[in-house]
């Protein structure tokens, strides 16, 4: 059988060999070393040679994996500043209180996680003591993405620091009383502490990359110099399975984001068991990050291993560490010295000989306790190397033991992620291990006490002094007292009130035109952040390329192919547009960073992210929830919206449900405007509410979702009737009546119906209005429903007020009060969208919508298929009136036959 390796083409085969004799000599040398010293020695020499070549800048393929040892040798570790013993005591208190908080909470059935922070305590404490910059210096500080399951440890530190009380800790996961703590990092629930929500796993690392990138964007554009800020993302090795965790690694290296450090807690366990039972997750991650261009630092073994590595004169120990799968490493953590001697050392004669020099206590110290992530000196060395490395982001792979210091019942057990409490005896054992001065008498009625050395103790003073030197508390979120942004000139918005005359204009183009005017505003124009996922030309935004520029940290190092054209592709170091390529997830991460810059950096930025509506909420709704949690502000724009307006693209591109998903997000104000003047009114009020002189008590921490359409239609002038402006913002107003529309109705007492329509559907309703009058003698009034969701929310608030004994009428009921006849609602979305308000409409209710999958065809055919075109609206209206006895039942059958339905 042919050897597969023998037929693999080599890149070298494509290059001429200038000196075959020299090449043969090098190959012969390798053969000689292999024969004389063995293959392991030969491999060692080759790896070291490649490392030297890489260090000298030679253009060779990168070495993707290194030995399963620490990247930084013990001899090269810098001495950590500060007082190691003091930091040990502080960490011990935090370990204790984190476990106590969760254990006490378990009596109420609220759960919590202990084992994660127990493994990662030194990863956090070293950063808090020496690296993480607070916001009291420049208002930005460092950005910390805390691993969600480690939140008890962060709360414990805030308790020691005096920022939280025992009452707070006792209300962990019990927030309804007002003094509680959210389960995980939730800025909306605890806005003075948490900056970034991270527990929807995978979103933390993705957001951290784009936050680091947005920091560079702010600096390069001259908005604010945040070059001193460093982004730290604390992640679990199991979390790295999420596709979002690694989706943007190449972006981070491509743009040289050396202001970013990932710290991956490699405790080798995820929720149910080992991360890579039969493999090695550290080696896999190292290869993945190195391949993506990151600087990789491994901190795997503690100082107890130094003696073992010194004894490894043959390389047998390093080889064995490389081959033992993670699940077996986990098993060693729970077994005695005899088992480890036999299973680990007994596999190789050289290791067996080494083991005879080691005591049982030494073996257990190494395999049970000594990990790189559990020693402050090792962690400090890794962090220092990370922040000093230039030209690429850094990932630190820190090996730990899940459940470390919690006792034999916890450490490395498969079930420890679900274990919520320690017994009193286990706490006493933990107390003795951590050397904490907590007497047995404090365990009253079997309740574990919190521990605190005292507000004026050396430990607390040291902790606070270290934080003061680093710029104040961390983590911390700041709501800066920002002056409201000046409102753009009214004429910018008023110009849309005139309509487009005879010109057909898609609402997508109307929105883009509005943005073009707004970014030219002298006061606020630079604060707009246009975000687009490689579809700018689809949305007619290419005219912004030369005027605003596409952001690139390298500027434009080439001559664009379309340079001789007016709207050429222009990249610039200070470019304003973020054109992210084909990544909706990356674009949303951009949006989140920009939308929260008012808090993160004290700079109000106005992001708008325009995308295919189908690939917004359906694809990235989890990030939109993250956006709401992080209190982001800005405009999401679902373009080419609706199920029937994007012709020929088929069911995967046909959006009939994004408003349904948007309605589930309490922070999202969802609008489906029909006309350009409605878009202008909504954006104007959005700027006022989120960035300007908002009304007293009004919540600014919202974001807007607007659906816009690619179907060119006449844009009418804004009606002059009273209440139109209020109705646009609240969600409903009467666009016209049969009389004001000028349609002829034969009978003076003709039957009447109210047609409620949103978005592009209003054009079908207007045509139906004409058909109903001219062919069936029915008078129809047409209403523009700009937001079914806002109408529903207002009605829900009215219902809640009623329960409190307050009389309040929902706006939709007030708006429709006195409107004659039944109501027929229609949209380009599934019927569930307009049906949101049905229960608050006093008139007879019926609806039409585009339920089901989309299909490829013309707009007209698609609308006929879904039964939402003008003729279908006519038939549905006649049927509704026939049920009321206001038209003959035969008229319904006649209409169906006439229109071919």
């Amino acid at each position: 059988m042919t050897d597969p390796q023998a037929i693999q083409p080599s890149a070298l085969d494509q290059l001429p060999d200038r000196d075959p004799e020299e090449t043969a000599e090098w190959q012969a040398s390798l053969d000689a070393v292999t024969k004389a010293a063995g293959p392991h020695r030969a491999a060692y020499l080759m790896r070291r040679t490649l490392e030297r070549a890489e260090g000298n800048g030679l253009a060779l393929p990168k070495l993707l994996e290194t030995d399963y040892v620490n990247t930084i040798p013990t001899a090269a570790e810098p001495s950590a500043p500060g007082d190691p013993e003091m930091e040990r005591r502080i960490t011990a208190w935090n370990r204790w209180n984190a476990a106590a908080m969760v254990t006490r909470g378990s009596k109420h059935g609220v759960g919590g996680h202990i084992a994660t922070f127990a493994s990662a305590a030194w990863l956090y404490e070293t950063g808090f003591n020496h690296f993480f910059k607070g916001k009291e210096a420049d208002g930005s500080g460092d950005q910390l993405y805390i691993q969600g399951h480690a939140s008890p440890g962060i709360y414990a530190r805030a308790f020691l620091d005096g920022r939280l009380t025992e009452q707070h800790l006792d209300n962990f996961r019990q927030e309804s009383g007002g003094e509680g703590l959210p389960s995980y990092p939730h800025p909306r629930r605890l806005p003075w502490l948490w900056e970034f929500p991270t527990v929807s796993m995978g979103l933390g690392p993705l957001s951290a990359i784009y936050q680091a990138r947005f920091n560079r964007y702010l600096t390069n554009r001259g908005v604010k110099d945040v070059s001193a800020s460093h982004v730290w993302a604390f992640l679990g090795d199991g979390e790295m399975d999420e596709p979002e965790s690694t989706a943007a690694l190449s972006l981070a290296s491509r743009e040289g984001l050396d202001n970013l450090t990932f710290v991956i807690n490699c405790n080798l366990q995820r929720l149910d068991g080992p991360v890579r039972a039969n493999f090695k997750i550290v080696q896999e991650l190292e290869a993945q990050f190195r391949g993506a261009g990151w600087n990789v630092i491994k901190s795997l073994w503690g100082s107890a291993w130094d003696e073992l590595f010194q004894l490894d004169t043959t390389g047998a120990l390093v080889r064995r560490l490389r081959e033992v799968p993670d699940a077996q490493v986990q098993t060693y953590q729970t077994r005695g010295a005899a088992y480890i001697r036999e299973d680990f050392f007994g596999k190789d004669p050289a290791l067996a000989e080494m083991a005879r020099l080691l005591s049982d206590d030494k073996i257990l110290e190494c395999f049970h306790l000594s990990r790189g992530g559990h020693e402050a000196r090792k962690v400090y060395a890794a962090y220092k190397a990370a922040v000093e490395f230039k030209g690429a982001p850094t990932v630190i792979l820190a090996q730990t033991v899940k459940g470390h210091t919690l006792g034999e019942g916890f450490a490395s057990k498969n079930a420890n992620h679900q274990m919520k409490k320690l017994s009193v005896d286990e706490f006493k054992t933990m107390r003795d291990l951590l050397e904490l001065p907590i007497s047995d008498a404090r365990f009253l009625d079997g309740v574990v006490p919190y521990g605190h050395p005292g507000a004026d103790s050396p430990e607390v003073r040291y902790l606070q002094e270290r934080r003061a030197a680093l710029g104040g508390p961390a983590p911390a979120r700041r709501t800066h007292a920002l002056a409201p942004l000046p409102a753009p000139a009214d004429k910018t918005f008023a110009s849309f009130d005139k309509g487009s005359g005879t010109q057909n204009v898609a609402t997508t183009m109307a929105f883009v035109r509005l943005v073009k005017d707004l970014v030219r505003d002298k006061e606020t124009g630079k604060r707009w952040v246009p975000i687009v996922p490689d579809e700018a030309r689809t949305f007619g935004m290419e005219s912004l390329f030369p005027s605003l520029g596409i952001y690139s940290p390298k500027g434009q190092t080439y001559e664009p192919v379309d340079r001789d054209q007016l709207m050429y592709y222009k990249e610039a170091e200070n470019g304003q547009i973020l054109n992210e390529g084909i990544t909706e997830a990356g674009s949303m991460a951009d949006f989140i960073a920009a939308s929260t810059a008012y808090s993160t950096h004290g700079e109000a930025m106005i992001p708008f992210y325009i995308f295919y509506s189908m690939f917004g909420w359906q694809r990235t709704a989890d990030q939109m929830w993250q956006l709401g949690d992080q209190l982001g502000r800005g405009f999401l724009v679902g373009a080419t919206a609706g199920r029937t307006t994007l012709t020929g693209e088929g069911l995967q591109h046909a959006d009939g449900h994004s408003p349904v998903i948007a309605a589930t997000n309490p922070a999202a104000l969802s609008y489906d405007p029909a006309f350009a003047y409605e878009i202008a009114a909504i954006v104007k009020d959005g700027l006022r509410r989120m960035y300007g002189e908002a009304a007293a008590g009004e919540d600014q921490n919202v974001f807007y979702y607007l659906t816009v359409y690619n179907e060119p239609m006449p844009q009418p002038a804004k009606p002059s009737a009273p209440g139109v402006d209020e109705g646009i913002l609240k969600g409903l107003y009467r666009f016209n009546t049969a009389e004001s529309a000028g349609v002829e109705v034969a009978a003076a007492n003709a039957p009447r119906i109210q047609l409620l329509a949103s978005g592009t559907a209003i054009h079908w309703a207007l045509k139906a209005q004409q058909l109903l009058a001219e062919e069936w003698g029915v008078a129809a009034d047409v209403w523009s429903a700009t937001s079914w969701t806002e109408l529903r929310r207002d009605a829900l608030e009215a219902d809640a007020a009623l329960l409190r004994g307050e009389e309040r009428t929902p706006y939709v009921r007030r708006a429709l009060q006195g409107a004659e006849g039944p109501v027929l609602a229609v949209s380009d979305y599934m019927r569930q969208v307009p049906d949101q308000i049905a229960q608050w409409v006093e008139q007879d209710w019926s609806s039409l919508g585009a339920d089901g999958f989309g299909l490829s065809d013309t707009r007209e055919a698609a609308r006929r298929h879904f039964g939402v075109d003008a003729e279908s609206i006519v038939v549905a209206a006649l049927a509704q009136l026939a049920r009321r006895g206001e038209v003959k039942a035969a008229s319904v059958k006649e209409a169906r036959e006439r229109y071919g339905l």
Side-chain angles (χ1 to χ4, degrees), residues 411-719:
S412 279
K413 295 298 170 65
N414 277 336
N416 62 18
H417 191 79
Q418 306 303 327
M419 296 161 67
K420 313 297 182 188
K421 58 185 178 180
L422 297 173
S423 67
V424 169
D425 288 340
E426 287 171 325
F427 265 108
K428 290 179 178 179
T429 300
M430 180 183 176
R431 171 201 61 189
D432 297 340
L433 175 66
L434 298 177
E435 301 178 358
L436 291 172
I438 300 174
S439 67
D440 287 354
R442 294 193 58 198
F443 290 83
L444 299 175
D445 300 321
V447 177
V448 59
Y450 294 119
H452 199 293
D456 196 39
S457 65
E459 291 92 336
V460 172
R461 287 202 306 272
Y462 180 89
L463 181 155
Q464 292 176 341
E465 287 168 1
R466 292 305 309 140
R467 289 312 316 156
L470 288 166
R477 181 180 180 276
R478 292 287 182 266
T479 302
H480 300 266
L482 300 179
L485 295 183
D490 281 341
K491 66 180 182 180
T492 304
F493 305 99
S495 64
F496 291 84
D497 293 349
K498 303 173 184 177
S500 64
T502 59
Q503 183 183 9
N504 288 340
V505 177
T507 52
T508 298
M509 300 310 300
F511 175 81
V512 171
R513 181 190 141 193
L514 174 62
V515 169
K516 287 179 184 177
D517 293 340
L518 292 172
V519 296
R520 284 198 291 262
D521 184 85
K522 292 181 180 179
E523 297 288 341
T524 60
K526 71 174 185 177
R527 297 192 175 274
W528 282 87
V529 183
I531 303 168
V532 61
D534 201 38
E535 289 282 2
R537 298 182 193 279
T538 301
F539 308 133
M541 293 175 59
E542 66 269 29
S543 61
L544 296 177
F545 289 170
S547 58
L548 301 183
I550 299 166
Y551 172 73
S552 170
K554 291 185 177 293
Q556 193 154 40
T557 61
Y558 60 92
E559 182 179 355
V561 67
D562 54 359
R563 182 62 183 88
D564 57 341
Q565 298 178 15
L566 180 63
M567 293 183 287
Y568 69 96
Y569 194 83
K570 178 186 176 183
E571 294 188 85
E573 191 174 346
N574 64 346
Q576 192 164 352
I577 301 170
L578 290 172
N579 192 324
E580 289 306 349
I582 307 174
T583 168
E584 286 82 6
S587 299
M588 268 306 302
D590 258 341
F591 187 90
I592 292 171
S595 71
T596 53
Y598 72 91
S599 172
T600 309
H601 295 300
E603 294 287 344
M605 304 299 287
I606 311 170
F608 79 88
Y609 165 34
I610 187 167
F611 49 89
Y612 266 125
S613 64
M614 184 67 169
F615 303 138
W617 288 87
Q618 174 169 298
R619 184 165 290 186
T620 58
D622 195 13
Q623 287 177 282
M624 290 160 179
W625 195 265
Q626 177 191 16
L627 167 65
D629 192 350
Q630 201 168 317
L631 289 77
R633 306 169 186 168
F635 297 95
L636 297 176
V637 183
T640 60
R643 186 148 274 163
T644 70
T645 61
L646 184 60
T647 57
E649 298 283 354
L651 62 87
Q652 196 168 359
H653 285 64
D655 170 25
H657 51 278
S658 66
V660 177
I661 308 176
T664 66
N665 191 312
L669 277 63
S670 178
Y671 285 90
D672 186 25
F675 305 122
Y677 66 78
E678 293 176 350
I679 292 173
I682 293 165
V683 171
K684 179 181 179 181
D685 192 67
L687 292 172
R688 179 198 65 84
R689 178 168 181 175
M690 295 185 292
Y691 302 97
E693 295 288 357
E698 194 171 19
D699 185 8
Q700 288 182 289
N701 297 319
V702 295
F703 61 93
Y704 283 66
Y705 176 55
L706 281 72
T707 48
V708 293
Y709 300 84
N710 69 331
E711 184 175 9
M713 299 294 288
Q715 295 298 323
K718 184 169 74 172

Side-chain angles (χ1 to χ4, degrees), residues 36-57:
H40 298 302
R41 177 61 181 170
Y44 176 87
L45 292 174
M46 288 299 299
R47 286 200 301 274
R48 292 298 175 263
T49 302
L50 284 172
E51 288 172 358
R52 174 60 64 88
E54 184 177 334
N56 289 339

Side-chain angles (χ1 to χ4, degrees), residues 726-743:
E726 180 189 24
I728 291 172
L729 301 179
K730 287 188 172 294
L732 183 69
Y733 68 96
R734 182 154 46 196
F735 176 72
N736 69 18
T737 63
E739 291 75 16
S740 65
V743 294

Side-chain angles (χ1 to χ4, degrees), residues 169-187:
L169 300 193
D170 262 347
N171 285 316
F172 174 59
R173 293 193 171 194
Q174 300 171 75
E175 298 180 75
S176 58
E179 289 292 322
L181 300 176
S183 52
Y184 301 125
H186 290 304

Side-chain angles (χ1 to χ4, degrees), residues 217-229:
Y217 171 88
L218 286 178
T219 300
N220 289 346
R221 285 196 54 219
V223 176
K224 181 181 181 181
D225 184 355
V226 295
S227 56
S229 291

Side-chain angles (χ1 to χ4, degrees), residues 56-70:
N56 289 339
L58 297 183
L60 289 173
K62 287 185 178 295
L63 190 66
L64 295 186
E65 282 189 40
T66 60
D67 288 324
Y68 202 68
V69 296
N70 295 349

Side-chain angles (χ1 to χ4, degrees), residues 62 249-250 252-254 287-295 389 391-393:
K62 287 185 178 295
L249 297 186
S250 59
S253 60
R254 185 169 66 245
Q288 190 170 16
F289 277 85
R290 281 184 180 274
W294 286 53
N295 176 43
F389 189 86

